[in-house]
Amino acid sequence: MADSHPTPPISVHQALGGGTVADVLLWRESCGGASMLLASSTMLWYLFERAGYNLLPFVANVLLLLLVILFLWAKSASLLNRPLPPLPNLEVSEKTVGMVADELHLWINHTLSAAHDIAIGSDLKFFLKVAVGLWLVSYIGSFFKFLTLVYIGVVLSLSVPVVYDKYRHFIDEKLRATHRIIQMQYRKIDEMVFRKLPLPSNKEKKMQ
């Protein structure tokens, strides 16, 4: 007999992976990772967008200063019999490279498959969705610089999960109502526009 009890909804922490990233995005970690991320991103955004610093000279100067400090620390430690700088083992494991390669492989193949469907015109609705999405990205991006968009993304990633976790039931109710309205409008557009567009027949698709 199947269990009649409904499956409990997954928590926001579990939806975000349940690891360190989820702790940071929900401001649950004790080391202040979210505060450090927000402060550092704010500082970098101010330096590059407001103060007029260039990215390449800034990175080069920071790396140069870091190398000089580490070099002098190591030389002084050898002369004074002190411990060397506590540097971690800087290497990437083969497992990590394989996981990243697998994810990139799936993402690239999915993107190429979608581009192929758009190019041959087999799915007009998908083409229109992608075209509208790219137009929105272009329109929104014209109002901001790239680093400003990245900074906005960081701020949203550190605020939206926390707000949603705190007011989940209220937000879910509003999202369901909005989804119903969007579905109704989409059905109207589908009946008035999409179904009247000439689509290739099955015979034409097979010939292609």
Side-chain angles (χ1 to χ4, degrees):
M1 182 177 179
D3 190 4
S4 59
H5 296 286
T7 304
I10 186 172
S11 65
V12 179
H13 188 265
Q14 292 174 341
L16 294 174
T20 305
V21 176
D23 293 335
V24 171
L25 295 179
L26 294 176
W27 297 70
R28 293 184 179 180
E29 81 294 342
S30 59
C31 61
S35 302
M36 293 175 58
L37 178 61
L38 182 61
S40 60
S41 60
T42 302
M43 181 188 67
L44 292 175
W45 174 78
Y46 178 80
L47 286 175
F48 296 132
E49 293 294 335
R50 296 300 179 184
Y53 282 86
N54 293 322
L55 178 61
L56 187 60
F58 178 81
V59 173
N61 290 331
V62 169
L63 292 177
L64 177 61
L65 179 61
L66 180 62
L67 287 177
V68 170
I69 292 175
L70 292 176
F71 178 79
L72 295 178
W73 188 348
K75 287 299 181 182
S76 62
S78 62
L79 293 175
L80 302 175
N81 294 324
R82 296 292 181 86
L84 294 174
L87 292 177
N89 188 14
L90 302 177
E91 64 178 13
V92 180
S93 64
E94 184 177 353
K95 181 180 179 182
T96 302
V97 174
M99 292 174 59
V100 173
D102 291 339
E103 291 294 330
L104 287 176
H105 177 260
L106 293 175
W107 184 82
I108 291 173
N109 283 341
H110 178 73
T111 303
L112 292 176
S113 176
H116 178 267
D117 292 339
I118 294 174
I120 64 176
S122 60
D123 194 342
L124 183 59
K125 293 181 182 180
F126 183 66
F127 165 76
L128 292 176
K129 290 178 182 179
V130 173
V132 172
L134 292 176
W135 178 81
L136 286 175
V137 171
S138 176
Y139 180 75
I140 295 173
S142 63
F143 293 98
F144 306 98
K145 294 182 179 180
F146 177 73
L147 288 178
T148 302
L149 286 175
V150 173
Y151 176 67
I152 293 174
V154 172
V155 173
L156 290 178
S157 65
L158 292 175
S159 57
V160 172
V162 177
V163 174
Y164 180 73
D165 187 44
K166 188 174 182 180
Y167 303 102
R168 181 172 184 175
H169 298 291
F170 175 77
I171 295 175
D172 284 343
E173 181 181 352
K174 297 300 180 182
L175 288 176
R176 283 192 292 266
T178 305
H179 182 263
R180 287 193 296 268
I181 295 174
I182 292 175
Q183 289 286 14
M184 292 174 58
Q185 297 299 323
Y186 178 79
R187 282 194 291 267
K188 291 180 180 179
I189 296 175
D190 184 52
E191 293 175 357
M192 297 174 59
V193 180
F194 291 151
R195 295 186 181 180
K196 296 180 180 180
L197 293 173
L199 297 177
S201 62
N202 293 332
K203 179 183 284 188
E204 293 178 352
K205 291 181 180 180
K206 292 179 179 179
M207 291 178 63
Q208 292 177 356

